[in-house]
Amino acid sequence: MARLLVLGGTELANSFVAAVREAHPDLEIILSLAGRTRDPKLPDCEVRTGGFGGAEGLAEYLKTEGISALVDATHPYAARISANAAEAAKAALVPCLHLIRPEWNREPGDNWHMAADNEAAADILDELSSNAPLTVFLSIGRQDLASYFLLWNCAFVVRSVEPPPEEDLPPDAKLVLARGPFGEADELAFLSENAVDILVSKNSGGSATYGKIAAARRLRIPVVMVERSALPSGEVVGTVVDAVDWVAAQLR
Ligand code: NAP
């Protein structure tokens, strides 16, 4: 029987697993998670958890587990695992697809400051807070908080699914633990209740976390948008439908 390995940890991966299961009931699907989130939402399939040990470890896994095809449906900012997937698939001669949500585009009324990475985002905040203190909603997860440590004129509201280590939180940051999806109405209330002056966000794409972008537009709050790094090498699609079609083509 053909075996599909899906690299997940995203809503998109879960939707893809559900769709591919329906389209190919005989296909054996293994969903792989990094193991960062306790009690993750899971689709109905076999799940393995934890790193593979780099591209070499993943290539070894593909061979020993007899994987027929690999779909990388990790988050657009999980660059290392996507690069490892491309390299491992090439080494193991397994076809590989990257399923990546298309980026959000600027809409009329959006006031976005583009930042190449978190360091650049922190520089923008530093400049914008030079005349008056800012309350910043830092909505970038919990892994890249260190870049924002030395911004003395910024007060931070940090929201993440799991708590970051205390030493990673910027001084006096308010921590809010919550799991999306977050709708626009909820985000309007959140931004107002926390008197947020500016939002820092990744360009994650998709609808689950778009509410804060739409709410910032409504409230005329500027957004510092941390851009994606380059796409991984290899075949890339942006929708579950296209990814299911790709699987069908591999099974022919
Ligand atoms: P990363 O920096 O690209 O990967 C770091 C290491 O974690 C990889 O080298 C790999 O370890 C392991 N890993 C990552 N994803 C894995 C998976 N699906 N299955 C098995 N091992 C995995 O990734 P990250 O940014 O830390 O993200 C980790 C997980 O959280 C991913 O599943 C991603 O989809 C999800 N996520 C990330 C973000 C984000 O903003 N980065 C947001 C939402 C969800 P080895 O080298 O040992 O194989």
Side-chain angles (χ1 to χ4, degrees), residues 88-152:
K90 207 168 161 189
L93 301 176
V94 168
C96 172
L97 179 74
H98 303 281
L99 169 56
I100 304 176
R101 288 179 292 209
E103 290 186 311
W104 298 318
N105 292 315
R106 214 186 288 243
E107 301 280 331
D110 282 334
N111 176 8
W112 289 7
H113 299 258
M114 305 308 289
D117 52 26
N118 284 290
E119 282 70 33
D123 287 345
I124 292 170
L125 289 180
D126 197 22
E127 201 177 316
L128 294 176
S129 62
S130 60
N131 292 326
L134 290 178
T135 299
V136 182
F137 175 21
L138 197 49
S139 180
I140 54 157
R142 65 192 158 116
Q143 292 197 77
D144 302 303
L145 298 171
S147 307
Y148 300 90
F149 247 73
L150 297 173
L151 298 170
W152 306 114

Tab-separated table of all heavy atoms in Angstrom, residues 88-152:
chain	number	residue	atom	x	y	z
A	88	ALA	N	15.962	15.951	1.846
A	88	ALA	CA	15.783	14.533	2.168
A	88	ALA	C	15.060	13.792	1.043
A	88	ALA	O	15.428	12.659	0.683
A	88	ALA	CB	14.990	14.391	3.473
A	89	ALA	N	14.037	14.447	0.480
A	89	ALA	CA	13.267	13.803	-0.590
A	89	ALA	C	14.164	13.543	-1.801
A	89	ALA	O	14.074	12.486	-2.438
A	89	ALA	CB	12.083	14.688	-0.976
A	90	LYS	N	15.030	14.515	-2.075
A	90	LYS	CA	15.946	14.363	-3.201
A	90	LYS	C	16.885	13.174	-2.938
A	90	LYS	O	17.084	12.323	-3.810
A	90	LYS	CB	16.762	15.653	-3.329
A	90	LYS	CG	17.252	15.928	-4.713
A	90	LYS	CD	17.782	17.359	-4.751
A	90	LYS	CE	18.690	17.526	-5.944
A	90	LYS	NZ	19.392	18.792	-5.921
A	91	ALA	N	17.405	13.106	-1.733
A	91	ALA	CA	18.353	12.037	-1.394
A	91	ALA	C	17.680	10.671	-1.421
A	91	ALA	O	18.289	9.678	-1.833
A	91	ALA	CB	18.959	12.304	-0.021
A	92	ALA	N	16.421	10.610	-0.979
A	92	ALA	CA	15.727	9.320	-0.885
A	92	ALA	C	14.922	8.996	-2.148
A	92	ALA	O	14.237	7.974	-2.189
A	92	ALA	CB	14.797	9.332	0.332
A	93	LEU	N	14.987	9.892	-3.133
A	93	LEU	CA	14.256	9.713	-4.400
A	93	LEU	C	12.748	9.557	-4.168
A	93	LEU	O	12.089	8.696	-4.758
A	93	LEU	CB	14.800	8.507	-5.178
A	93	LEU	CG	16.290	8.565	-5.541
A	93	LEU	CD1	16.738	7.267	-6.220
A	93	LEU	CD2	16.584	9.752	-6.444
A	94	VAL	N	12.237	10.378	-3.265
A	94	VAL	CA	10.801	10.373	-2.968
A	94	VAL	C	10.215	11.700	-3.476
A	94	VAL	O	10.789	12.760	-3.207
A	94	VAL	CB	10.575	10.246	-1.435
A	94	VAL	CG1	9.139	10.538	-1.051
A	94	VAL	CG2	10.983	8.863	-0.951
A	95	PRO	N	9.099	11.678	-4.229
A	95	PRO	CA	8.522	12.946	-4.683
A	95	PRO	C	8.057	13.799	-3.502
A	95	PRO	O	7.530	13.266	-2.519
A	95	PRO	CB	7.338	12.518	-5.564
A	95	PRO	CG	7.065	11.108	-5.216
A	95	PRO	CD	8.331	10.503	-4.675
A	96	CYS	N	8.277	15.097	-3.629
A	96	CYS	CA	7.988	16.003	-2.500
A	96	CYS	C	7.217	17.223	-2.981
A	96	CYS	O	7.533	17.799	-4.023
A	96	CYS	CB	9.313	16.437	-1.866
A	96	CYS	SG	9.161	17.716	-0.604
A	97	LEU	N	6.209	17.607	-2.221
A	97	LEU	CA	5.427	18.808	-2.528
A	97	LEU	C	5.401	19.702	-1.286
A	97	LEU	O	5.262	19.208	-0.167
A	97	LEU	CB	3.982	18.413	-2.873
A	97	LEU	CG	3.053	19.573	-3.200
A	97	LEU	CD1	3.357	20.134	-4.593
A	97	LEU	CD2	1.590	19.144	-3.127
A	98	HIS	N	5.515	21.007	-1.507
A	98	HIS	CA	5.339	21.960	-0.410
A	98	HIS	C	3.954	22.591	-0.560
A	98	HIS	O	3.656	23.195	-1.600
A	98	HIS	CB	6.400	23.051	-0.451
A	98	HIS	CG	7.802	22.517	-0.402
A	98	HIS	ND1	8.401	22.105	0.773
A	98	HIS	CD2	8.702	22.291	-1.382
A	98	HIS	CE1	9.626	21.677	0.506
A	98	HIS	NE2	9.830	21.773	-0.791
A	99	LEU	N	3.124	22.425	0.457
A	99	LEU	CA	1.794	23.044	0.476
A	99	LEU	C	1.892	24.263	1.392
A	99	LEU	O	2.064	24.115	2.610
A	99	LEU	CB	0.770	22.032	1.007
A	99	LEU	CG	-0.630	22.545	1.351
A	99	LEU	CD1	-1.285	23.241	0.167
A	99	LEU	CD2	-1.509	21.393	1.853
A	100	ILE	N	1.846	25.430	0.780
A	100	ILE	CA	2.097	26.664	1.545
A	100	ILE	C	0.971	27.649	1.293
A	100	ILE	O	0.664	27.981	0.137
A	100	ILE	CB	3.434	27.313	1.119
A	100	ILE	CG1	4.578	26.315	1.275
A	100	ILE	CG2	3.705	28.554	1.952
A	100	ILE	CD1	5.923	26.836	0.791
A	101	ARG	N	0.373	28.115	2.391
A	101	ARG	CA	-0.722	29.090	2.231
A	101	ARG	C	-0.226	30.338	1.532
A	101	ARG	O	0.841	30.858	1.872
A	101	ARG	CB	-1.234	29.523	3.615
A	101	ARG	CG	-2.018	28.474	4.308
A	101	ARG	CD	-2.464	28.961	5.657
A	101	ARG	NE	-1.347	29.128	6.566
A	101	ARG	CZ	-1.405	29.004	7.877
A	101	ARG	NH1	-2.542	28.728	8.444
A	101	ARG	NH2	-0.358	29.160	8.645
A	102	PRO	N	-0.993	30.837	0.547
A	102	PRO	CA	-0.602	32.103	-0.081
A	102	PRO	C	-0.549	33.229	0.951
A	102	PRO	O	-1.284	33.197	1.948
A	102	PRO	CB	-1.711	32.362	-1.107
A	102	PRO	CG	-2.368	31.035	-1.315
A	102	PRO	CD	-2.217	30.268	-0.033
A	103	GLU	N	0.297	34.200	0.684
A	103	GLU	CA	0.441	35.333	1.597
A	103	GLU	C	-0.812	36.206	1.597
A	103	GLU	O	-1.542	36.247	0.614
A	103	GLU	CB	1.610	36.216	1.144
A	103	GLU	CG	2.952	35.582	1.333
A	103	GLU	CD	4.067	36.556	1.006
A	103	GLU	OE1	4.008	37.188	-0.057
A	103	GLU	OE2	4.982	36.674	1.817
A	104	TRP	N	-1.008	36.957	2.685
A	104	TRP	CA	-2.026	38.017	2.667
A	104	TRP	C	-1.478	39.171	1.845
A	104	TRP	O	-0.275	39.456	1.861
A	104	TRP	CB	-2.279	38.536	4.089
A	104	TRP	CG	-2.807	37.533	5.043
A	104	TRP	CD1	-3.771	36.599	4.821
A	104	TRP	CD2	-2.399	37.367	6.413
A	104	TRP	NE1	-4.001	35.867	5.965
A	104	TRP	CE2	-3.177	36.324	6.955
A	104	TRP	CE3	-1.482	37.999	7.242
A	104	TRP	CZ2	-3.040	35.896	8.274
A	104	TRP	CZ3	-1.350	37.582	8.557
A	104	TRP	CH2	-2.115	36.541	9.062
A	105	ASN	N	-2.381	39.839	1.148
A	105	ASN	CA	-1.987	41.040	0.413
A	105	ASN	C	-2.553	42.269	1.099
A	105	ASN	O	-3.595	42.201	1.746
A	105	ASN	CB	-2.508	40.975	-1.033
A	105	ASN	CG	-1.788	39.889	-1.801
A	105	ASN	OD1	-0.567	39.764	-1.730
A	105	ASN	ND2	-2.547	39.054	-2.510
A	106	ARG	N	-1.845	43.364	0.923
A	106	ARG	CA	-2.285	44.634	1.482
A	106	ARG	C	-3.627	45.043	0.857
A	106	ARG	O	-3.791	44.974	-0.360
A	106	ARG	CB	-1.254	45.679	1.109
A	106	ARG	CG	-1.026	46.750	2.118
A	106	ARG	CD	-0.089	47.758	1.523
A	106	ARG	NE	1.264	47.256	1.409
A	106	ARG	CZ	2.297	47.769	2.042
A	106	ARG	NH1	2.123	48.778	2.858
A	106	ARG	NH2	3.502	47.283	1.867
A	107	GLU	N	-4.585	45.424	1.697
A	107	GLU	CA	-5.902	45.899	1.225
A	107	GLU	C	-5.972	47.410	1.426
A	107	GLU	O	-5.227	47.945	2.259
A	107	GLU	CB	-7.022	45.258	2.061
A	107	GLU	CG	-7.063	43.745	2.034
A	107	GLU	CD	-7.720	43.212	0.775
A	107	GLU	OE1	-8.594	43.919	0.230
A	107	GLU	OE2	-7.350	42.115	0.331
A	108	PRO	N	-6.891	48.081	0.691
A	108	PRO	CA	-7.054	49.513	0.940
A	108	PRO	C	-7.330	49.761	2.431
A	108	PRO	O	-8.136	49.045	3.032
A	108	PRO	CB	-8.276	49.888	0.094
A	108	PRO	CG	-8.325	48.836	-0.972
A	108	PRO	CD	-7.778	47.579	-0.372
A	109	GLY	N	-6.653	50.738	2.994
A	109	GLY	CA	-6.829	51.045	4.419
A	109	GLY	C	-5.758	50.417	5.296
A	109	GLY	O	-5.599	50.793	6.455
A	110	ASP	N	-5.016	49.442	4.758
A	110	ASP	CA	-3.938	48.835	5.549
A	110	ASP	C	-2.747	49.775	5.615
A	110	ASP	O	-2.389	50.405	4.612
A	110	ASP	CB	-3.467	47.510	4.899
A	110	ASP	CG	-4.420	46.365	5.183
A	110	ASP	OD1	-5.122	46.416	6.206
A	110	ASP	OD2	-4.455	45.413	4.370
A	111	ASN	N	-2.131	49.846	6.793
A	111	ASN	CA	-0.912	50.641	6.961
A	111	ASN	C	0.189	49.684	7.430
A	111	ASN	O	0.358	49.477	8.623
A	111	ASN	CB	-1.184	51.756	7.991
A	111	ASN	CG	0.063	52.573	8.287
A	111	ASN	OD1	1.101	52.413	7.630
A	111	ASN	ND2	-0.025	53.440	9.280
A	112	TRP	N	0.837	49.053	6.452
A	112	TRP	CA	1.835	48.027	6.777
A	112	TRP	C	3.243	48.575	6.640
A	112	TRP	O	3.567	49.240	5.647
A	112	TRP	CB	1.726	46.829	5.806
A	112	TRP	CG	0.524	45.965	5.984
A	112	TRP	CD1	-0.542	46.178	6.804
A	112	TRP	CD2	0.257	44.737	5.291
A	112	TRP	NE1	-1.463	45.172	6.670
A	112	TRP	CE2	-0.998	44.275	5.738
A	112	TRP	CE3	0.944	44.000	4.331
A	112	TRP	CZ2	-1.567	43.088	5.276
A	112	TRP	CZ3	0.378	42.822	3.859
A	112	TRP	CH2	-0.856	42.372	4.329
A	113	HIS	N	4.081	48.263	7.624
A	113	HIS	CA	5.516	48.519	7.528
A	113	HIS	C	6.167	47.159	7.293
A	113	HIS	O	6.052	46.275	8.144
A	113	HIS	CB	6.063	49.103	8.840
A	113	HIS	CG	5.434	50.410	9.221
A	113	HIS	ND1	6.040	51.627	9.033
A	113	HIS	CD2	4.232	50.685	9.794
A	113	HIS	CE1	5.255	52.592	9.458
A	113	HIS	NE2	4.145	52.038	9.932
A	114	MET	N	6.811	46.976	6.162
A	114	MET	CA	7.383	45.666	5.845
A	114	MET	C	8.753	45.505	6.505
A	114	MET	O	9.589	46.407	6.434
A	114	MET	CB	7.520	45.489	4.327
A	114	MET	CG	6.228	45.707	3.556
A	114	MET	SD	4.823	44.740	4.172
A	114	MET	CE	5.310	43.111	3.643
A	115	ALA	N	8.960	44.337	7.127
A	115	ALA	CA	10.234	44.051	7.797
A	115	ALA	C	10.758	42.719	7.272
A	115	ALA	O	10.021	41.732	7.235
A	115	ALA	CB	10.018	43.979	9.309
A	116	ALA	N	12.023	42.682	6.893
A	116	ALA	CA	12.583	41.455	6.311
A	116	ALA	C	12.647	40.332	7.343
A	116	ALA	O	12.553	39.155	6.992
A	116	ALA	CB	13.974	41.734	5.747
A	117	ASP	N	12.830	40.698	8.608
A	117	ASP	CA	12.899	39.679	9.673
A	117	ASP	C	12.572	40.361	11.006
A	117	ASP	O	12.237	41.550	11.043
A	117	ASP	CB	14.287	39.011	9.695
A	117	ASP	CG	15.415	40.024	9.759
A	117	ASP	OD1	15.176	41.142	10.264
A	117	ASP	OD2	16.530	39.704	9.303
A	118	ASN	N	12.687	39.599	12.102
A	118	ASN	CA	12.298	40.165	13.400
A	118	ASN	C	13.233	41.286	13.849
A	118	ASN	O	12.792	42.229	14.509
A	118	ASN	CB	12.233	39.053	14.450
A	118	ASN	CG	10.986	38.213	14.279
A	118	ASN	OD1	9.880	38.682	14.552
A	118	ASN	ND2	11.147	36.999	13.789
A	119	GLU	N	14.502	41.209	13.497
A	119	GLU	CA	15.444	42.282	13.857
A	119	GLU	C	15.017	43.581	13.169
A	119	GLU	O	15.011	44.652	13.773
A	119	GLU	CB	16.884	41.933	13.451
A	119	GLU	CG	17.591	40.950	14.375
A	119	GLU	CD	17.016	39.551	14.266
A	119	GLU	OE1	16.590	39.173	13.157
A	119	GLU	OE2	16.959	38.845	15.295
A	120	ALA	N	14.656	43.461	11.896
A	120	ALA	CA	14.210	44.650	11.152
A	120	ALA	C	12.896	45.174	11.739
A	120	ALA	O	12.687	46.396	11.819
A	120	ALA	CB	14.037	44.304	9.671
A	121	ALA	N	12.020	44.273	12.173
A	121	ALA	CA	10.751	44.694	12.789
A	121	ALA	C	11.036	45.468	14.076
A	121	ALA	O	10.407	46.504	14.344
A	121	ALA	CB	9.883	43.466	13.075
A	122	ALA	N	12.001	44.981	14.858
A	122	ALA	CA	12.357	45.667	16.106
A	122	ALA	C	12.932	47.058	15.804
A	122	ALA	O	12.624	48.025	16.512
A	122	ALA	CB	13.365	44.826	16.884
A	123	ASP	N	13.721	47.178	14.743
A	123	ASP	CA	14.272	48.490	14.362
A	123	ASP	C	13.146	49.466	14.020
A	123	ASP	O	13.192	50.644	14.390
A	123	ASP	CB	15.205	48.349	13.144
A	123	ASP	CG	16.525	47.690	13.517
A	123	ASP	OD1	16.830	47.618	14.729
A	123	ASP	OD2	17.235	47.228	12.595
A	124	ILE	N	12.129	48.958	13.310
A	124	ILE	CA	10.987	49.818	12.945
A	124	ILE	C	10.260	50.291	14.212
A	124	ILE	O	9.930	51.468	14.360
A	124	ILE	CB	10.027	49.070	11.991
A	124	ILE	CG1	10.700	48.843	10.638
A	124	ILE	CG2	8.710	49.826	11.820
A	124	ILE	CD1	9.953	47.923	9.693
A	125	LEU	N	10.053	49.354	15.159
A	125	LEU	CA	9.384	49.732	16.416
A	125	LEU	C	10.208	50.769	17.175
A	125	LEU	O	9.676	51.721	17.758
A	125	LEU	CB	9.183	48.498	17.304
A	125	LEU	CG	8.151	47.467	16.854
A	125	LEU	CD1	8.100	46.325	17.854
A	125	LEU	CD2	6.762	48.102	16.696
A	126	ASP	N	11.519	50.582	17.157
A	126	ASP	CA	12.425	51.493	17.860
A	126	ASP	C	12.253	52.914	17.315
A	126	ASP	O	12.120	53.877	18.074
A	126	ASP	CB	13.868	50.997	17.640
A	126	ASP	CG	14.818	51.599	18.645
A	126	ASP	OD1	14.347	52.031	19.715
A	126	ASP	OD2	16.028	51.657	18.355
A	127	GLU	N	12.193	52.988	15.984
A	127	GLU	CA	12.058	54.297	15.349
A	127	GLU	C	10.674	54.903	15.653
A	127	GLU	O	10.568	56.070	16.017
A	127	GLU	CB	12.237	54.120	13.841
A	127	GLU	CG	12.628	55.393	13.143
A	127	GLU	CD	12.860	55.132	11.666
A	127	GLU	OE1	13.513	54.127	11.332
A	127	GLU	OE2	12.348	55.926	10.864
A	128	LEU	N	9.634	54.079	15.517
A	128	LEU	CA	8.280	54.603	15.701
A	128	LEU	C	8.003	55.009	17.152
A	128	LEU	O	7.129	55.842	17.414
A	128	LEU	CB	7.234	53.569	15.244
A	128	LEU	CG	7.223	53.251	13.743
A	128	LEU	CD1	6.224	52.140	13.432
A	128	LEU	CD2	6.863	54.500	12.924
A	129	SER	N	8.747	54.401	18.097
A	129	SER	CA	8.503	54.714	19.519
A	129	SER	C	9.486	55.769	20.037
A	129	SER	O	9.538	56.015	21.243
A	129	SER	CB	8.609	53.441	20.367
A	129	SER	OG	9.912	52.907	20.276
A	130	SER	N	10.235	56.393	19.127
A	130	SER	CA	11.270	57.319	19.609
A	130	SER	C	10.661	58.588	20.231
A	130	SER	O	11.240	59.181	21.124
A	130	SER	CB	12.238	57.687	18.478
A	130	SER	OG	11.515	58.292	17.439
A	131	ASN	N	9.451	58.964	19.778
A	131	ASN	CA	8.849	60.200	20.322
A	131	ASN	C	7.805	59.947	21.401
A	131	ASN	O	7.574	60.802	22.242
A	131	ASN	CB	8.177	60.996	19.192
A	131	ASN	CG	9.214	61.533	18.241
A	131	ASN	OD1	10.319	61.885	18.660
A	131	ASN	ND2	8.891	61.574	16.962
A	132	ALA	N	7.159	58.771	21.324
A	132	ALA	CA	6.096	58.486	22.298
A	132	ALA	C	6.046	56.986	22.551
A	132	ALA	O	6.312	56.201	21.635
A	132	ALA	CB	4.758	58.953	21.733
A	133	PRO	N	5.738	56.573	23.784
A	133	PRO	CA	5.686	55.142	24.077
A	133	PRO	C	4.580	54.447	23.269
A	133	PRO	O	3.552	55.052	22.963
A	133	PRO	CB	5.388	55.065	25.579
A	133	PRO	CG	4.967	56.421	25.982
A	133	PRO	CD	5.423	57.407	24.959
A	134	LEU	N	4.817	53.172	22.939
A	134	LEU	CA	3.849	52.406	22.147
A	134	LEU	C	3.471	51.122	22.872
A	134	LEU	O	4.341	50.461	23.466
A	134	LEU	CB	4.453	52.002	20.799
A	134	LEU	CG	4.699	53.073	19.752
A	134	LEU	CD1	5.354	52.440	18.519
A	134	LEU	CD2	3.375	53.748	19.359
A	135	THR	N	2.199	50.780	22.800
A	135	THR	CA	1.782	49.442	23.235
A	135	THR	C	1.722	48.565	21.994
A	135	THR	O	0.987	48.865	21.041
A	135	THR	CB	0.411	49.482	23.941
A	135	THR	OG1	0.543	50.316	25.095
A	135	THR	CG2	-0.028	48.095	24.361
A	136	VAL	N	2.510	47.495	22.010
A	136	VAL	CA	2.705	46.661	20.818
A	136	VAL	C	2.083	45.286	21.043
A	136	VAL	O	2.403	44.619	22.034
A	136	VAL	CB	4.224	46.456	20.551
A	136	VAL	CG1	4.431	45.627	19.290
A	136	VAL	CG2	4.945	47.787	20.458
A	137	PHE	N	1.205	44.889	20.149
A	137	PHE	CA	0.708	43.506	20.174
A	137	PHE	C	1.676	42.672	19.337
A	137	PHE	O	1.726	42.793	18.115
A	137	PHE	CB	-0.712	43.453	19.606
A	137	PHE	CG	-1.288	42.061	19.476
A	137	PHE	CD1	-0.802	40.983	20.215
A	137	PHE	CD2	-2.352	41.826	18.608
A	137	PHE	CE1	-1.340	39.719	20.088
A	137	PHE	CE2	-2.904	40.559	18.472
A	137	PHE	CZ	-2.388	39.502	19.210
A	138	LEU	N	2.473	41.833	20.045
A	138	LEU	CA	3.514	41.043	19.391
A	138	LEU	C	2.922	39.666	19.106
A	138	LEU	O	2.892	38.790	19.956
A	138	LEU	CB	4.698	40.958	20.356
A	138	LEU	CG	6.069	40.553	19.849
A	138	LEU	CD1	6.455	41.327	18.614
A	138	LEU	CD2	7.103	40.768	20.953
A	139	SER	N	2.443	39.518	17.874
A	139	SER	CA	1.711	38.297	17.515
A	139	SER	C	2.548	37.464	16.555
A	139	SER	O	2.198	37.273	15.391
A	139	SER	CB	0.369	38.701	16.881
A	139	SER	OG	-0.356	37.553	16.533
A	140	ILE	N	3.675	36.981	17.066
A	140	ILE	CA	4.620	36.248	16.213
A	140	ILE	C	4.925	34.869	16.786
A	140	ILE	O	5.919	34.253	16.413
A	140	ILE	CB	5.942	37.025	16.055
A	140	ILE	CG1	6.518	37.367	17.433
A	140	ILE	CG2	5.751	38.285	15.217
A	140	ILE	CD1	7.988	37.622	17.429
A	141	GLY	N	4.091	34.400	17.728
A	141	GLY	CA	4.412	33.133	18.379
A	141	GLY	C	5.424	33.366	19.492
A	141	GLY	O	5.585	34.479	19.968
A	142	ARG	N	6.116	32.287	19.893
A	142	ARG	CA	6.966	32.433	21.087
A	142	ARG	C	8.432	32.170	20.809
A	142	ARG	O	9.249	32.166	21.716
A	142	ARG	CB	6.476	31.481	22.180
A	142	ARG	CG	6.634	30.030	21.781
A	142	ARG	CD	5.900	29.100	22.698
A	142	ARG	NE	5.659	27.849	22.017
A	142	ARG	CZ	6.184	26.703	22.402
A	142	ARG	NH1	6.974	26.641	23.443
A	142	ARG	NH2	5.910	25.601	21.731
A	143	GLN	N	8.784	31.954	19.518
A	143	GLN	CA	10.161	31.530	19.254
A	143	GLN	C	11.124	32.671	18.958
A	143	GLN	O	12.327	32.490	19.044
A	143	GLN	CB	10.185	30.565	18.063
A	143	GLN	CG	9.519	29.239	18.373
A	143	GLN	CD	9.903	28.185	17.361
A	143	GLN	OE1	10.993	27.634	17.391
A	143	GLN	NE2	9.009	27.906	16.436
A	144	ASP	N	10.606	33.829	18.571
A	144	ASP	CA	11.498	34.909	18.106
A	144	ASP	C	11.396	36.157	18.961
A	144	ASP	O	11.595	37.267	18.478
A	144	ASP	CB	11.164	35.249	16.644
A	144	ASP	CG	11.315	34.030	15.752
A	144	ASP	OD1	12.406	33.458	15.737
A	144	ASP	OD2	10.319	33.643	15.111
A	145	LEU	N	11.062	35.972	20.248
A	145	LEU	CA	10.816	37.136	21.105
A	145	LEU	C	12.095	37.892	21.435
A	145	LEU	O	12.060	39.093	21.729
A	145	LEU	CB	10.123	36.683	22.396
A	145	LEU	CG	8.741	36.030	22.192
A	145	LEU	CD1	8.241	35.432	23.499
A	145	LEU	CD2	7.741	37.051	21.660
A	146	ALA	N	13.239	37.203	21.361
A	146	ALA	CA	14.506	37.809	21.798
A	146	ALA	C	14.824	39.098	21.049
A	146	ALA	O	15.422	40.017	21.614
A	146	ALA	CB	15.643	36.812	21.625
A	147	SER	N	14.391	39.186	19.786
A	147	SER	CA	14.700	40.374	18.977
A	147	SER	C	14.098	41.649	19.565
A	147	SER	O	14.503	42.754	19.210
A	147	SER	CB	14.139	40.211	17.563
A	147	SER	OG	14.569	39.019	17.004
A	148	TYR	N	13.090	41.499	20.443
A	148	TYR	CA	12.329	42.667	20.894
A	148	TYR	C	12.685	43.100	22.321
A	148	TYR	O	11.974	43.884	22.936
A	148	TYR	CB	10.825	42.357	20.795
A	148	TYR	CG	10.412	42.046	19.376
A	148	TYR	CD1	10.447	40.736	18.896
A	148	TYR	CD2	10.046	43.049	18.488
A	148	TYR	CE1	10.109	40.443	17.577
A	148	TYR	CE2	9.698	42.762	17.175
A	148	TYR	CZ	9.740	41.463	16.731
A	148	TYR	OH	9.411	41.170	15.423
A	149	PHE	N	13.810	42.580	22.830
A	149	PHE	CA	14.153	42.782	24.230
A	149	PHE	C	14.520	44.215	24.603
A	149	PHE	O	14.223	44.667	25.690
A	149	PHE	CB	15.323	41.856	24.595
A	149	PHE	CG	14.906	40.812	25.574
A	149	PHE	CD1	14.106	39.764	25.169
A	149	PHE	CD2	15.283	40.898	26.893
A	149	PHE	CE1	13.688	38.812	26.068
A	149	PHE	CE2	14.873	39.951	27.801
A	149	PHE	CZ	14.076	38.906	27.391
A	150	LEU	N	15.185	44.938	23.708
A	150	LEU	CA	15.818	46.192	24.125
A	150	LEU	C	15.034	47.431	23.710
A	150	LEU	O	15.591	48.495	23.512
A	150	LEU	CB	17.245	46.255	23.564
A	150	LEU	CG	18.158	45.148	24.092
A	150	LEU	CD1	19.491	45.171	23.385
A	150	LEU	CD2	18.351	45.281	25.601
A	151	LEU	N	13.720	47.282	23.574
A	151	LEU	CA	12.903	48.417	23.125
A	151	LEU	C	12.242	49.056	24.348
A	151	LEU	O	11.132	48.705	24.735
A	151	LEU	CB	11.864	47.929	22.115
A	151	LEU	CG	12.480	47.337	20.844
A	151	LEU	CD1	11.423	46.648	19.995
A	151	LEU	CD2	13.159	48.434	20.039
A	152	TRP	N	12.958	50.008	24.950
A	152	TRP	CA	12.536	50.518	26.252
A	152	TRP	C	11.271	51.353	26.171
A	152	TRP	O	10.571	51.540	27.169
A	152	TRP	CB	13.680	51.339	26.888
A	152	TRP	CG	14.935	50.539	26.951
A	152	TRP	CD1	16.087	50.773	26.278
A	152	TRP	CD2	15.152	49.336	27.701
A	152	TRP	NE1	17.007	49.796	26.549
A	152	TRP	CE2	16.465	48.892	27.428
A	152	TRP	CE3	14.376	48.559	28.568
A	152	TRP	CZ2	17.025	47.754	27.974
A	152	TRP	CZ3	14.927	47.415	29.125
A	152	TRP	CH2	16.224	47.031	28.828
